[in-house]
Amino acid sequence: MTIKTATVRRSHRLLGLVIGVQLLLWTASGAFFAWTDLDEIHGDHLRVPAAPIELGDDWVSPSVVDLQGVEDFDPDQPDEFGLVRIGTTTHYRFKDTAGNVVLADVETGAVRDALTEEEALMLARASFVPDAPVKSIRRITEDDVGAHHEYRSGSLPAWVVSFDHPSGTRVYVAERD
């Protein structure tokens, strides 16, 4: 069985065209990202920078917080510890190796419930620079987030606050993170 020279030439040209178009698109997108400010792509210019948290004299020790009774949290497997501000209240943030998060008030040591829709809305508005109206707010869970969702690595459940702004900004606020 012989292959005609014309068929080989046609196949070679087609293969060259396909590879050439891919290389051209790859080069163009690389040039775009090389010349574009990455912070602008991330939307950092639309975000209010976080204010530093000052330590208080009236705070209880993190060891006072009773993590034993918290559902789904393994206090014997700590992974991270930090501080987070929700409105005007500061909380200790405990995270175990399974990714479960517990927030506790720094002044009382009381473990707090998950963020409410109103708190999530307040935090989203406080973190977004433009004064834009809120288009929608909804709660998402593991069932709503697939492998290619833009919030694929964040803690769930979370609130999605969409703003009516030309940037199409959506602010994600985790219920416990």
Side-chain angles (χ1 to χ4, degrees):
M1 181 172 150
T2 60
I3 300 175
K4 293 185 179 181
T5 306
T7 304
V8 171
R9 286 183 185 160
R10 216 175 294 125
S11 300
H12 188 260
R13 280 190 213 128
L14 182 60
L15 184 62
L17 180 64
V18 169
I19 291 173
V21 169
Q22 287 179 340
L23 286 173
L24 181 64
L25 292 173
W26 179 58
T27 302
S29 64
F32 171 78
F33 282 106
W35 286 318
T36 304
D37 183 12
L38 194 57
D39 291 332
E40 187 175 330
I41 292 170
H42 290 161
D44 293 342
H45 63 292
L46 299 173
R47 184 178 197 159
V48 175
I53 297 175
E54 295 183 22
L55 301 178
D57 294 333
D58 55 345
W59 291 8
V60 299
S61 170
S63 63
V64 171
V65 179
D66 181 18
L67 298 172
Q68 296 297 330
V70 179
E71 188 179 339
D72 295 331
F73 188 82
D74 187 356
D76 297 326
Q77 297 292 321
D79 188 41
E80 292 179 19
F81 171 77
L83 296 170
V84 63
R85 185 178 294 125
I86 300 173
T88 59
T89 309
T90 304
H91 294 81
Y92 292 125
R93 179 184 176 274
F94 302 91
K95 186 174 183 180
D96 67 11
T97 55
N100 301 311
V101 175
V102 173
L103 300 177
D105 189 289
V106 295
E107 294 178 1
T108 65
V111 173
R112 70 159 284 141
D113 292 330
L115 287 175
T116 64
E117 181 177 342
E118 293 78 26
E119 289 172 319
L121 184 59
M122 181 254 321
L123 289 171
R125 280 190 173 140
S127 69
F128 190 53
V129 171
D131 186 22
V134 173
K135 186 174 10 177
S136 67
I137 182 169
R138 69 183 181 97
R139 185 175 182 266
I140 58 171
T141 63
E142 290 84 3
D143 297 335
D144 302 312
V145 179
H148 300 290
H149 193 277
E150 66 186 9
Y151 190 68
R152 64 186 159 268
S153 63
S155 296
L156 293 168
W159 294 98
V160 183
V161 181
S162 300
F163 288 93
D164 189 13
H165 187 264
S167 64
T169 298
R170 286 180 297 275
V171 175
Y172 292 87
V173 182
E175 280 189 351
R176 294 199 177 271
D177 208 2

